[in-house]
Amino acid sequence: MKGKIVVISGPSGCGKGTVIAKLLDRESNLKLSVSMTTREPRPNECHGREYYFVTKQEFEKRIASGDLLEYTEYNGNYYGTPKTELEKAREQGNDILLDIEIEGAENVRRAGLDNLVTIFLAPPSFEELRKRLILRGTESPEVIERRLARAEKELAEKSKYDYVVINDDLETAVDEVYYIIKNK
Ligand code: 5GP
């Protein structure tokens, strides 16, 4: 039995990280794919837990070796899914969650993998998204503006996903995503 591949996308600040953390707590059979990135770690982020933090040169070496299932450039940095993350999860019979943006999701769709389900997590409104990004306080105003511009583009693509879940109330959103993973 192969596990499911669950793709979750959603604009920066939509609460995706929190939803994912709660899902992983609830379901021990679900593992998060750790991506590789060239962006700087935020305070409290650890190499190998949130991301594998690598240099641009190292990342480009991985692209050339075909080690990545998909990758993209997002706000000036590379992000990609190592193939080994999927293999590891599936060998152990676990479902795997990919927290990736829209281009990555499109590339995963194109890869034609079995047992794939895609979910878009949306904020209740664009204004709410702006508020949450400012409150989070981890990015400069300039980065926030770039992320908001990107969010607009991402929101326009949500109909390409199998499911759209609105993160208005956190617990409800977690329940909805959990239900989809378990039953779809
Ligand atoms: P952040 O910098 O906030 O951690 O992530 C920025 C965006 O990159 C998020 O939308 C996240 O889903 C996406 N992302 C993280 N890892 C990957 C990956 O491996 N591939 C792709 N395509 N996007 C990723």
Side-chain angles (χ1 to χ4, degrees):
M1 250 309 267
K2 275 189 186 171
K4 273 183 195 155
I5 300 174
V6 183
V7 166
I8 296 201
S9 300
S12 185
C14 76
K16 200 173 40 170
T18 314
V19 168
I20 289 174
K22 285 187 171 277
L23 284 169
L24 296 172
D25 270 357
R26 194 183 287 192
E27 181 54 66
S28 59
N29 214 26
L30 182 67
K31 301 291 172 201
L32 183 66
S33 159
V34 179
S35 294
M36 192 166 281
T37 185
T38 59
R39 91 148 156 70
E40 288 295 312
R42 293 183 187 132
N44 303 323
E45 285 184 334
C46 285
H47 181 80
R49 191 179 64 191
E50 279 79 14
Y51 285 104
Y52 300 107
F53 295 98
V54 299
T55 59
K56 191 164 180 243
Q57 196 185 21
E58 171 69 17
F59 198 103
E60 286 173 349
K61 215 161 77 188
R62 296 308 185 101
I63 299 173
S65 323
D67 293 345
L68 303 174
L69 171 71
E70 60 74 35
Y71 72 92
T72 195
E73 233 179 313
Y74 175 95
N75 283 335
N77 284 302
Y78 281 128
Y79 293 80
T81 307
K83 287 180 181 166
T84 46
E85 290 294 297
L86 259 81
E87 286 155 13
K88 214 165 52 189
R90 299 191 113 180
E91 266 166 25
Q92 293 164 356
N94 291 317
D95 294 337
I96 185 150
L97 198 62
L98 268 54
D99 167 0
I100 61 179
E101 50 64 70
I102 49 172
E103 282 165 20
E106 183 64 30
N107 288 331
V108 172
R109 264 186 223 107
R110 288 205 186 120
L113 302 166
D114 294 337
N115 280 349
L116 174 69
V117 56
T118 61
I119 303 169
F120 190 91
L121 192 67
S125 70
F126 195 71
E127 264 324 296
E128 182 61 29
L129 192 66
R130 180 188 296 275
K131 232 166 52 194
R132 289 185 194 174
L133 268 178
I134 293 169
L135 272 176
R136 185 163 84 182
T138 50
E139 273 86 21
S140 65
E142 189 210 335
V143 172
I144 289 179
E145 283 315 310
R146 262 197 279 147
R147 285 186 176 233
L148 282 171
R150 173 86 186 199
E152 243 181 322
K153 192 172 137 190
E154 296 193 338
L155 284 164
E157 302 255 324
K158 62 181 192 290
S159 61
K160 290 190 179 169
Y161 286 72
D162 299 329
Y163 301 93
V164 177
V165 171
I166 313 266
N167 187 14
D168 196 351
D169 172 71
L170 177 64
E171 292 306 326
T172 310
V174 174
D175 285 347
E176 285 176 8
V177 176
Y178 183 75
Y179 180 85
I180 294 166
I181 295 174
K182 286 309 236 179
N183 299 290
K184 301 294 174 178

